[in-house]
Amino acid sequence: MKTIIEPFKIKSIEPIKFTTELQRESILRKAFFNPFLIPADDVLIDLLTDSGTSAMSAKQWAGIMDGDESYAGSKSFYRFEKTVRDLTGFHHIIPTHQGRAAEKILFSIVGGKGKWIPNNTHFDTTRANVEYSGAEAVDLLNETGKHPELKADFKGNMDTAALEKFIQDKGAEHIPLCLITVTNNSGGGQPVSMENIRQTKKILQHYHIPLFLDACRFAENAYFIKLREKGYADKSVREIAREMFSLADGCTMSAKKDALANIGGFLAMNDSALASKSRNLLIVTEGFPTYGGLAGRDLEAIAQGLEEILDEDYLRYRIRSVEYLGDKFSAMGIPIVQPPGGHAIYIDAKRLLQHIPPHEYPGQAVVSEFFRLGGIRCVEIGSVMFGKYDTTTGSLISPPMELVRLAIPRRVYTQSHMDYVIEVAENVFKNRTNLKGFRIIEEAPMLRHFTAKFENLV
Ligand code: F0G
């Protein structure tokens, strides 16, 4: 069969609101052209993020009713702990209210001034939490990952030679741990190979540096390994995921992605001393270690979601539906990060809008046009999100890529929604030479993309 259908049927629906182009222009102006400031009710197709936006299954909803809300020792915690432990093999499982809370706890303990944290590419909250602790976050992505148009199987891989050199330069004693983000969200949702995780681990082991996975999209990564890496075609995704975790000493996880939950996360590790410090901090900032900032019902939904995410019919549909969107974009000439990633399509705004320089935010122009023409909400991952000002000259230092991410929520939209997105993209493409850049008129000192206000350049 050529058509890979959604491997579920719909039991409960949410209406979405249609607007006119005129209405959307006014909505955009009111939101100062920042998609984070648009009320969700005014959005037709919401591709802002795949985080916390999954549709839960009937069994997850049943788990919600079954949640045990005891303050200490809830049965929902024990189910959650067993599920995560069986999957990851880590001994200490610490629930948090979402991924960044796990990051905050981890880096409050291991970070600090004079420390360095390498990663293939830090996600923005991870970078922010590392930097907030006083440590420095360093991205060591392999060369192929830096070229959006290049097609390669594992563009999320760590540059292991650069990692080894980095450790020798800085000194292992200043590197409390190393992260690998699977899949590499900020680098286009690209997977990391098992071989690369193994190599990274080997180098780190030599210097006694622990390896942590940023495991938000571990199942999508594991499925890519099954599809693309030699020796894995006949292994189950669960086995592959287990092997990925077995190479690491711990992980941070946002359950809002590959646990198919609307909230939640965890920090997991084998090191008992680190776990003990983490739990002490958890009690101060999140909650008692058997709920950690979540309700018992959330722990149930996560445990169930972690079972469902490993269903290979689901993963086949998931990866194929993202690829479908990417293939159609490419066919009409829209430059995207190749090949399509696990959870999103990333438009290369630098190539699409060559007349708009990075300091006029070409990605923001694409985001704004998708909403104006079709009520589709997506997000810039470029100079708005990662741009920094030179402390002496005040000029903008841009990241290497100007991307726009269309993230696909899990199990939410059908193929006809995607076909509509493709039609709108066609119109964005046709109108590309008329698009203008933007100026920022208000911004916060950290994570400015969430609240920045923009003005259209004329
Ligand atoms: N790490 C990665 C790779 C992520 O993509 C995210 C969140 C986090 C950590 C933080 O998790 O949101 O639960 O605190 N990414 C979302 C996104 C927000 O839209 O990509 P969180």
Side-chain angles (χ1 to χ4, degrees):
M1 289 292 170
K2 239 177 45 207
T3 308
I4 296 174
I5 61 167
E6 288 83 7
F8 47 80
K9 48 187 182 169
I10 296 164
K11 179 177 261 182
S12 181
I13 61 104
E14 266 181 291
I16 47 181
K17 191 171 95 185
F18 291 83
T19 47
T20 63
E21 203 167 295
L22 210 63
Q23 286 170 326
R24 291 193 292 269
E25 278 169 7
S26 139
I27 293 163
L28 269 174
R29 268 195 306 277
K30 270 198 210 137
F32 293 93
F33 300 94
N34 184 338
F36 289 100
L37 304 181
I38 299 175
D41 234 15
D42 290 334
V43 176
L44 185 64
I45 308 261
D46 203 346
L47 308 184
L48 185 71
T49 179
D50 64 321
S51 179
T53 52
S54 300
M56 291 212 294
S57 67
K59 278 197 178 162
Q60 283 179 295
W61 284 109
I64 293 276
M65 275 311 291
D66 203 31
D68 172 5
E69 305 305 341
S70 304
Y71 190 96
S74 142
K75 80 172 162 53
S76 301
F77 170 73
Y78 294 119
R79 180 186 174 198
F80 162 86
E81 184 188 45
K82 180 175 185 322
T83 308
V84 178
R85 197 177 277 153
D86 286 352
L87 170 70
T88 63
F90 297 130
H91 190 67
H92 300 284
I93 314 297
I94 300 168
T96 58
H97 80 273
Q98 60 183 87
R100 68 197 70 181
E103 293 165 355
K104 172 82 168 93
I105 289 170
L106 182 61
F107 296 117
S108 301
I109 297 167
V110 306
K113 236 181 154 48
K115 303 277 176 61
W116 301 81
I117 309 289
N119 196 336
N120 48 350
T121 311
H122 286 85
F123 180 66
D124 59 354
T125 61
T126 323
R127 174 173 285 279
N129 274 304
V130 169
E131 289 174 353
Y132 192 73
S133 82
E136 291 202 46
V138 187
D139 295 340
L140 299 175
L141 186 63
N142 78 99
E143 190 57 34
T144 52
K146 295 176 192 161
H147 300 275
E149 69 291 349
L150 262 183
K151 276 194 186 170
D153 285 342
F154 292 104
K155 287 174 76 178
N157 280 356
M158 174 81 84
D159 182 339
T160 47
L163 175 67
E164 180 136 39
K165 187 170 178 309
F166 185 79
I167 298 170
Q168 287 165 356
D169 284 355
K170 301 294 175 201
E173 67 279 17
H174 297 122
I175 305 173
L177 61 82
C178 171
L179 282 169
I180 295 185
T181 304
V182 292
T183 58
N184 183 23
N185 184 12
S186 309
Q190 300 293 322
V192 178
S193 71
M194 193 73 83
E195 182 53 28
N196 188 251
I197 303 176
R198 205 177 290 120
Q199 288 259 334
T200 304
K201 174 66 185 173
K202 210 171 139 199
I203 293 168
L204 294 172
Q205 220 158 15
H206 179 76
Y207 295 96
H208 306 290
I209 299 170
L211 171 64
F212 271 59
L213 294 182
D214 177 341
C216 298
R217 299 176 180 87
F218 74 95
E220 288 165 9
N221 198 87
Y223 191 68
F224 277 121
I225 288 177
K226 184 180 172 99
L227 291 182
R228 297 179 182 175
E229 192 162 347
K230 203 162 161 257
Y232 288 93
D234 296 327
K235 294 214 162 126
S236 72
V237 173
R238 181 185 288 277
E239 284 173 306
I240 298 170
R242 276 217 189 104
E243 189 177 334
M244 286 164 52
F245 286 114
S246 76
L247 293 167
D249 301 283
C251 74
T252 56
M253 170 76 186
S254 166
K256 300 171 77 173
K257 284 83 168 173
D258 271 356
L260 294 167
N262 301 126
I263 195 71
F266 55 85
L267 176 60
M269 64 198 71
N270 289 326
D271 180 337
S272 298
L274 180 60
S276 169
K277 283 186 194 160
S278 302
R279 287 201 183 95
N280 290 339
L281 201 52
L282 184 86
I283 294 176
V284 181
T285 59
E286 290 281 291
F288 189 71
T290 62
Y291 71 84
L294 293 167
R297 53 179 165 272
D298 301 322
L299 294 166
E300 289 284 343
I302 295 167
Q304 180 59 32
L306 285 173
E307 299 290 338
E308 294 175 11
I309 199 76
L310 295 168
D311 172 3
E312 298 189 17
D313 288 335
Y314 160 77
L315 284 166
R316 183 181 310 112
Y317 137 82
R318 169 72 175 162
I319 298 303
R320 176 61 197 138
S321 61
V322 174
E323 185 185 47
Y324 173 79
L325 194 62
D327 288 351
K328 299 279 182 182
F329 277 23
S330 300
M332 69 176 88
I334 297 182
I336 62 164
V337 174
Q338 294 284 7
H343 66 294
I345 293 301
Y346 295 69
I347 296 176
D348 183 349
K350 210 187 247 180
R351 270 173 68 209
L352 182 69
L353 304 182
Q354 291 177 16
H355 60 290
I356 305 180
H359 69 271
E360 292 180 5
Y361 309 113
Q364 204 63 22
V366 175
V367 167
S368 171
E369 192 66 354
F370 263 97
F371 186 81
R372 191 182 73 83
L373 292 179
I376 296 165
R377 175 155 70 168
C378 44
V379 70
E380 195 260 16
I381 302 193
S383 285
V384 175
M385 193 180 271
F386 291 122
K388 284 199 166 149
Y389 294 110
D390 187 310
T391 43
T392 43
T393 64
S395 62
L396 183 81
I397 308 169
S398 291
M401 298 193 259
E402 300 292 335
L403 303 176
V404 170
R405 184 182 76 172
L406 290 86
I408 317 300
R410 294 171 182 76
R411 308 192 294 205
V412 172
Y413 295 115
T414 62
Q415 186 167 347
S416 69
H417 290 113
M418 290 303 113
D419 284 332
Y420 170 82
V421 173
I422 290 158
E423 273 182 51
V424 174
E426 248 166 10
N427 292 333
V428 172
F429 185 67
K430 275 186 205 145
N431 196 35
R432 68 191 181 286
T433 51
N434 297 322
L435 300 186
K436 301 270 195 302
F438 283 90
R439 175 176 33 234
I440 293 183
I441 53 172
E442 210 181 294
E443 64 185 294
M446 275 179 111
L447 298 175
R448 66 176 183 169
H449 53 287
F450 289 127
T451 51
K453 294 180 176 171
F454 297 85
E455 195 173 72
N456 219 179
L457 292 168
V458 281

